[in-house]
């Protein structure tokens, strides 16, 4: 009974490198989300997916891409990491899309870009 | 984006009551959430308000006034484990959840 998992837990990355953060949920939720959390700024939506096969841009999508090939997985890719992408990244899911449903969050990935 | 304001920090004594206010300006409103986040952990759902009034759930209550753009989270009989950040989040017209910066509550013995 995992709920929603993320990998890795933490990562230190050199600027310019490519990185994929993994997110998997076993609740058969339709919607999934990626947020970044920075001190003093709160959680900001990067990308979201209302259902498998569809994705959308959030508030801060630049420098990030996502895919939703199936219901369970929603990886986030940084094509060429920059220091401003240093943050804690949370993946979340909800049974119903559209933001009106409770979201369940993964444990987070702490990413440092040097 | 949305404009969501919460106090940055609050301190209260064990057993007391604390009220965390959240004011907002938004392009359309479809509901408001409160989440709790302990340090180093993921946020967890506390409450959801879509209509005006008070929603009570054990020691926690949440109030909404849509006309005033105002909500509060009330924590009663504070316990040490309630020390955490409390995040106000609203659903605007585009249905993309928007979070405030959070209020860190410290409970002292």
């Amino acid at each position: 009974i995992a709920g929603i998992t993320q990998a890795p837990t933490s990562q230190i990355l050199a600027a310019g490198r490519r990185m994929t953060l993994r997110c998997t949920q076993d609740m058969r939720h339709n919607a999934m989300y990626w947020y970044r959390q920075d001190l003093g700024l709160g959680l900001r939506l990067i990308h979201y997916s209302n259902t498998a096969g569809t994705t959308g841009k959030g508030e801060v999508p630049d420098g990030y891409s996502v895919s939703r090939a199936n219901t369970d997985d929603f990886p986030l890719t940084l094509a060429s990491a920059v220091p401003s992408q240093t943050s804690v990244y949370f993946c979340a899911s909800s049974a119903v899309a559209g933001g009106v449903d409770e979201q369940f969050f993964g444990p987070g990935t702490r990413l440092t870009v040097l | 984006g949305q404009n969501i304001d919460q106090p940055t920090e609050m301190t209260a004594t064990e057993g007391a009551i604390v009220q965390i206010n959240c004011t907002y300006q938004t392009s359309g409103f479809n509901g408001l959430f409160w989440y709790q986040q302990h340090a180093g952990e993921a946020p967890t759902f506390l409450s959801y308000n879509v209509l005006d009034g008070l929603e009570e759930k054990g020691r926690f209550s949440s109030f909404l006034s849509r006309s005033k753009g105002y909500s509060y989270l009330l924590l009663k009989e504070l316990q040490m484990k309630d020390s955490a950040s409390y995040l106000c989040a609203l659903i605007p017209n585009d249905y993309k959840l928007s979070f405030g910066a959070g209020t860190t509550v410290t409970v002292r013995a």
Side-chain angles (χ1 to χ4, degrees), chain B residues 10-54:
Chain B
M10 301 182 74
T11 301
T13 305
E14 195 173 16
I17 298 172
V18 70
Q19 178 174 312
I20 306 168
N21 296 324
C22 172
T23 58
Y24 61 86
Q25 295 175 315
T26 180
S27 54
F29 178 87
N30 293 290
L32 187 142
F33 287 91
W34 284 96
Y35 282 82
Q36 180 189 57
Q37 185 177 25
H38 286 100
E41 298 183 7
T44 56
F45 169 82
L46 284 179
S47 69
Y48 172 63
N49 294 71
V50 65
L51 300 176
D52 290 352
L54 188 68

Side-chain angles (χ1 to χ4, degrees), chain A residues 6-108:
Chain A
Q6 294 183 234
T9 302
S10 65
Q11 181 76 43
I12 299 174
L13 189 66
R17 297 297 295 269
R18 181 184 179 91
M19 176 74 192
T20 295
L21 307 185
R22 299 184 298 278
C23 175
T24 300
Q25 54 104 358
D26 63 2
M27 297 175 283
R28 308 303 293 172
H29 283 174
N30 285 312
M32 297 186 75
Y33 315 85
W34 274 105
Y35 294 90
R36 59 177 290 173
Q37 187 172 36
D38 303 288
L39 198 62
L41 293 178
L43 287 156
R44 292 182 292 168
L45 183 65
I46 305 171
H47 284 288
Y48 66 95
S49 169
N50 286 336
T51 189
T54 68
T55 63
K57 293 182 179 180
E59 181 185 355
V60 289
D62 294 343
Y64 306 95
S65 64
V66 291
S67 62
R68 186 92 183 274
N70 57 61
T71 298
D72 298 344
D73 301 299
F74 191 44
L76 176 74
T77 297
L78 289 68
S80 179
V82 295
S84 61
Q85 292 177 311
T86 293
S87 187
V88 180
Y89 291 86
F90 286 101
C91 179
S93 71
S94 63
V96 176
V100 296
D101 194 20
E102 171 189 354
Q103 292 186 15
F104 294 81
F105 286 81

